[in-house]
């Protein structure tokens, strides 16, 4: 068994982070390769002919004729959880079916909604502290929706469903777009983000932004 994870060369993709965390939490051996999105490397045949949607992250499993390539981060994390289930491996999703559905709902939502927040608070402002302007009215409305939903699902400073799940990482990274840029966020959500950021698998990703 061998895995390759293709991430963006700046390590700013929250979706590549999600898969990196999933592989790390599962304890699965993998090599990390990068794609230069700024130069359009993802559109070149060497990558695009293998990765169906020509996006990162992309997970490559196996070699030769048995090689399997999968893109879209939530599809990858679901595949990993089904392929390497508990109790031998840590669960990425809650075991109770309704909680598992809610976790997938949160994943889908942070990937498909809140576009003004994702644009005006891109992850370079989170990981590299890139300067950003005050939120526009449209982004303020999206931020308010993010906070409203997060307040409903975050019951305390730790995990959404009792034990950690990959939805915690995804929601915390979305909230960090506001928290790390000083936007107004309730204390409970700031504490939740800080707690999730301290998880060793997330810290392993963040270490890639450190000099040397």
């Amino acid at each position: 068994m061998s895995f390759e994870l293709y991430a963006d060369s700046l390590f700013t993709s929250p979706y590549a982070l999600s898969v990196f965390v999933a592989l790390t939490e599962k304890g699965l051996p993998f090599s990390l390769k990068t794609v230069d999105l700024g130069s359009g490397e993802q559109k070149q045949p060497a990558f695009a002919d293998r990765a169906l949607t020509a996006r990162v992250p992309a997970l490559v499993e196996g070699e030769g004729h048995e090689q399997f390539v999968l893109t879209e981060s939530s599809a990858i994390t679901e595949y990993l959880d089904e392929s390497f289930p508990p109790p031998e491996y840590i669960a990425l999703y809650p075991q109770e079916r309704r909680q598992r559905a809610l976790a997938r709902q949160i994943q889908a939502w942070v990937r498909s909604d809140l576009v003004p927040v994702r644009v005006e608070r891109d992850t370079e402002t989170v990981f590299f502290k890139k300067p950003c302007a005050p939120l526009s009215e449209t982004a303020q409305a999206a931020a308010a929706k993010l906070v409203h939903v997060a307040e409903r699902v975050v019951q305390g400073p730790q995990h959404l469903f009792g034990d950690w799940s990959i939805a915690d990482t995804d929601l915390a990274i979305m909230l960090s777009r506001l928290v790390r840029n000083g936007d107004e966020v309730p204390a409970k959500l700031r504490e939740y983000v800080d707690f999730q950021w301290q998880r060793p698998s997330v810290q392993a990703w963040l270490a890639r932004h450190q000099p040397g």
Side-chain angles (χ1 to χ4, degrees), residues 145-164:
K145 181 178 181 181
L146 170 58
V147 168
H148 173 73
V149 172
E151 283 198 294
R152 291 184 62 184
V153 297
V154 174
Q155 302 303 314
Q158 297 190 1
H159 307 309
L160 294 172
F161 305 107
D163 295 325
W164 174 86

Side-chain angles (χ1 to χ4, degrees), residues 52-67:
L52 182 63
T53 58
R55 304 207 298 180
V56 296
L59 183 72
V60 181
E61 180 181 16
E63 299 177 351
H65 296 299
E66 300 299 320
Q67 191 174 85

